[in-house]
Amino acid sequence: MSHDSPRSSRRRVLALAAAATLAAGLAVPLGASAAGAADSGLEGSELFLNPWSTTLEAAQGLSGQARTDAQLLGSIPSADWFTKGTPAEVEAAVDEVVTAAANRGEMPVLVAYNLPFRDCAQYSAGGALNTAEYTAWIDGFAAGIGDRAATVILEPDGLGIIPHYVTINGDAEWCQPAGVSAATAASARFEQLNYAVDALKASESTAVYLDGTHSGWLGVGDISHRLLEAGVERADGFFLNASNYVLTERLHKYGSWISQCIELTTQVSWWQAQWCASQYYPASPGDFSTWTLTDEKYAQDLSGAGVSLDPASMTHFVIDTSRNGQGPWTPPAGVYSDAEDWCNPPDRGLGLLPDTTTGVPLVDAYLWIKVPGESDGKCYRGTPGPLDPERGIEDPAAGQWFVEQARELVALSNPPVAPLTCEVKVTGTKVGKGFLAALVVRNNSTSTLSPWTLSWSFDGDQQVKKVVGGTAVQSGADVTVTAARPIATLRPGKTTAIAVTGTGAAVEPWQFHLNGKACTTR
């Protein structure tokens, strides 16, 4: 399994990667509140939409349908990834995103992805060189957030892939890199993650979630034990399905089982995590209809141990729904020696839109942790490469834009994602130290907009001085223009225009919003 590596951004010092009920024994109304989310401010918050995201950056170099797809994906909040740099560089990069989000009163979702030997030095190899370098980097990350609201997805794969780890069942982890001591690698990983939890949670405004893998991977007891060793009791919970494709209904159960396993393990002195029921037993992993057997087993075990459950005090989780609308890919039988079913599988679709109001007691949010449209890596599926034999093309490197996959994700989204319903064309001329731009606005929706507003974000210290055809209000980099009365009504299929003059660099915004809804740009 692999995840994003850094992508370039012309604005950043640092490269950024920018419901069902619970188990039978946990009878809780779907509307019950979640303490973890309430404490962190994630529940019910408006997620930050980065106007200079790597998705919108990719759109600038595309045309036609590929550009339209990227702009559509860029109109939906995705996480910003931070993957390298010095402590000072990551502090500045995190501060830039968090400042922009704070100015809008929105919640940024930040992925910290810099552990030593991350991804076991595979597709997304890299990370800090040692524990000291990593803890210093985390200190910079935390300093960039300060006391402002932020949600941190802490180290995808950080608990799913641990160098030289021996599981609670006595099995040796497959990841055994030669460049790290087999005697200390696993303990160092837990030391690093515990430090990160404490450093980030020093601010009550920061929510932190640890890697909970997904139901197609680790058993419940195994991941619950790893989460406890990494400090999940001091975090806000765990995240599931990062950069993967498992259906949300399965993740609801898997996450609830992890939470219940943690309750048993921490509240019952004689209980051991390896005794926890899972998707592998008594359920059958491939037959979802049998998963109620595991629900029933938890009800029995909790009752037998005298444990009563309160969702408000249990361990919560978030789910990555960025690419799970069609579920996981089933490779053709007998074709590939290693099908790499996690790596750019064909014909997948977007899942549920990001939402911090889920109606599921233990689920704090559905998030797009993986940036949809960005490659998992160069997938060879057991062949020498360089082509992906399933696609017949060479896949982009991890984290780079993948035009073909972006098209699939949009076309096969489940539920379907609506197209953008407006368009803005910019023509501009630099005048001395300022700019003059004509903005041609087209309403492609079926509704008349009256009045209408157009908003965008600058990339620096530009200031609007005059608008012909409207009135501008500017707050920092964010601008909103309200149309003047003569052109305040914009009917379906019709076009109008305004002219904007100002000071600063003549840089075109990457996305505009008409009455709050994102537009394509040409």
Side-chain angles (χ1 to χ4, degrees), residues 19 31 63-64 90 95 133 139 158 166 171 198 295 423 427 434 463 473:
S63 60
V90 76
D95 174 71
E133 186 171 294
D139 286 340
V166 177
D171 301 320
D198 290 337
D295 290 338
E423 180 181 315
T427 58
Q463 292 288 321
V473 175

Side-chain angles (χ1 to χ4, degrees), residues 5 37 115 147 167 185 233 376 401 454 461:
S5 55
L115 276 172
D147 61 359
T167 73
E233 292 176 283
D376 293 316
W401 194 254
L454 188 70
D461 58 0

Side-chain angles (χ1 to χ4, degrees), residues 8-300:
S8 64
S9 172
R10 64 185 181 84
R11 302 185 67 242
R12 310 271 174 83
V13 175
L14 174 66
L16 305 180
T21 58
L22 297 175
L26 183 56
V28 183
L30 289 181
S33 64
D39 290 344
S40 67
L42 177 59
E43 184 182 32
S45 64
E46 184 175 355
L47 296 171
F48 175 57
L49 178 62
N50 193 337
W52 301 96
S53 67
T54 54
T55 302
L56 293 175
E57 180 182 29
Q60 304 314 299
L62 301 172
S63 60
Q65 185 65 56
R67 180 180 176 91
T68 298
D69 288 339
Q71 290 182 332
L72 172 58
L73 292 170
S75 72
I76 301 167
S78 294
D80 284 290
W81 288 62
F82 301 80
T83 64
K84 66 178 183 179
T86 66
E89 287 171 339
V90 76
E91 178 179 351
V94 169
D95 174 71
E96 183 176 14
V97 173
V98 175
T99 296
N103 287 341
R104 295 181 175 189
E106 296 175 350
M107 173 66 75
V109 177
L110 317 173
V111 179
Y113 190 54
N114 197 40
L115 276 172
F117 291 95
R118 71 178 183 212
D119 197 32
C120 201
Q122 297 183 107
Y123 290 77
S124 294
L129 296 179
N130 51 51
T131 296
E133 186 171 294
Y134 180 71
T135 56
W137 187 85
I138 282 293
D139 286 340
F141 196 109
I145 298 173
D147 61 359
R148 298 167 296 183
T151 295
V152 179
I153 303 300
L154 183 57
E155 300 296 345
D157 283 343
L159 290 174
I161 304 175
I162 304 176
H164 297 284
Y165 182 66
V166 177
T167 73
I168 56 173
N169 298 315
D171 301 320
E173 183 81 3
W174 61 268
C175 175
Q176 300 180 16
V180 62
S181 169
T184 61
S187 60
R189 172 62 57 87
F190 290 119
E191 177 186 351
Q192 293 151 9
L193 290 173
N194 273 279
Y195 184 92
V197 168
D198 290 337
L200 293 164
K201 288 302 297 179
S203 170
E204 294 181 355
S205 299
T206 302
V208 179
Y209 296 88
L210 285 158
D211 176 29
T213 69
H214 60 76
S215 62
W217 194 353
L218 297 182
V220 172
D222 191 357
I223 188 57
S224 298
H225 179 76
R226 298 184 194 203
L227 283 164
L228 287 167
E229 289 292 301
V232 73
E233 292 176 283
R234 305 188 309 281
D236 293 82
F238 54 92
F239 60 87
L240 299 178
N241 202 47
S243 297
N244 217 275
Y245 303 86
V246 177
L247 290 167
T248 301
E249 63 180 1
R250 292 178 174 245
L251 298 167
H252 283 158
K253 285 192 178 291
Y254 182 65
S256 74
W257 296 339
I258 293 171
S259 186
Q260 291 171 85
C261 182
I262 289 173
E263 290 293 294
L264 283 166
T265 305
T266 56
Q267 292 191 34
V268 181
S269 61
W270 48 266
W271 187 269
Q272 298 182 39
Q274 57 262 47
W275 298 343
C276 290
S278 76
Q279 72 275 37
Y280 298 112
Y281 182 81
S284 173
D287 184 356
F288 189 62
S289 69
T290 69
W291 286 31
T292 56
L293 298 175
T294 294
D295 290 338
E296 293 166 3
K297 184 66 165 62
Y298 273 104
Q300 295 168 4

